[in-house]
Amino acid sequence: DPAVELDLDLRPEGKNGPVVRTLASYRAYYEKWSSTWEAQALVRAGHGAGDAALSRELLGVIDAVRHPEGGISARQVNEIRRLKARMENERLPRGLDPRRHVKLGPGGLSDVEWCVQLLQLEYSHEAPALRTPRTLAALEAEVGGGFLSQSDAAALREAWVMATRIRNATMLLRGRASDAIPTDARERSAVAELLGYARGEASLLIDDWSRRARFSREVMDRVFWGLG
């Protein structure tokens, strides 16, 4: 099995910060120095392993950061938008058709999750159901709270689920993580068959993903970017 990699650079202070720190130092950091992007990252935080009581204490410390009273400011919304635009410009692999990248391409996993997380940062202070690290659960809560329409949530959900299935099938095929629909015809056909398409129907996989991604991006443009 491929190794499970942990991105330690995402810790407070990045490469310059200690790998292990006390609960008090976490509290001091998040109260005084944390950035808006860290509040967004903390939306996904939850207990994974180790002492559950300590996890609860830490999650209690960061709740004020990721579920701020009154929601995030207009300045912070613009900051998040600028960071997303920068990601779209800098992180997509050169030479790859963005429409084949199910994570960073238009309507992909990143679009869905940033859209969902922005609504969480804006409204979780008034709707406790939004305080979940799970994307699909947050989507349902946003519909229930009236922050997102059923049709918009369905478009985001369908794109997120299909993108996740494509990534998983590609990893099963290659034995390593990949965020793009294979360009090699044989690999693309194998991924399509793993997803339930008949032999020779790889083009249908591309068509289905393109349609879902387009609908997802339309929601992203309206809800996240504020266009239209």
Side-chain angles (χ1 to χ4, degrees), residues 12 25-45 57-73 76 80 117-118 120-125 131:
S25 70
Y26 268 114
R27 180 180 288 107
Y29 175 82
Y30 287 124
E31 287 177 352
K32 299 177 182 178
W33 299 294
S34 63
S35 302
T36 302
W37 72 265
E38 290 173 291
Q40 182 180 352
L42 291 173
V43 166
R44 298 291 299 273
E57 283 192 71
L58 177 58
L59 293 173
V61 166
I62 66 176
D63 274 350
V65 179
R66 60 182 177 170
H67 309 306
E69 188 64 34
I72 57 175
S73 66
Q76 290 174 302
I80 290 172
Q117 290 162 15
L118 180 62
Q120 288 179 283
L121 289 167
E122 290 181 307
Y123 301 113
S124 61
H125 67 284
R131 301 175 188 180

Side-chain angles (χ1 to χ4, degrees), residues 62-111:
I62 66 176
D63 274 350
V65 179
R66 60 182 177 170
H67 309 306
E69 188 64 34
I72 57 175
S73 66
R75 177 190 61 79
Q76 290 174 302
V77 171
N78 287 332
E79 187 178 337
I80 290 172
R81 287 172 174 166
R82 285 196 300 270
L83 182 58
K84 181 64 166 70
R86 180 180 170 186
M87 283 182 56
E88 291 185 0
N89 289 331
E90 296 180 2
R91 292 190 58 189
L92 273 167
R94 294 186 180 278
L96 177 71
D97 183 347
R99 293 171 297 181
R100 288 183 177 270
H101 204 284
V102 299
K103 180 179 180 180
L104 300 177
L109 288 169
S110 178
D111 274 5

Side-chain angles (χ1 to χ4, degrees), residues 55 80 172 178:
S55 286
I80 290 172
L172 283 173
S178 176

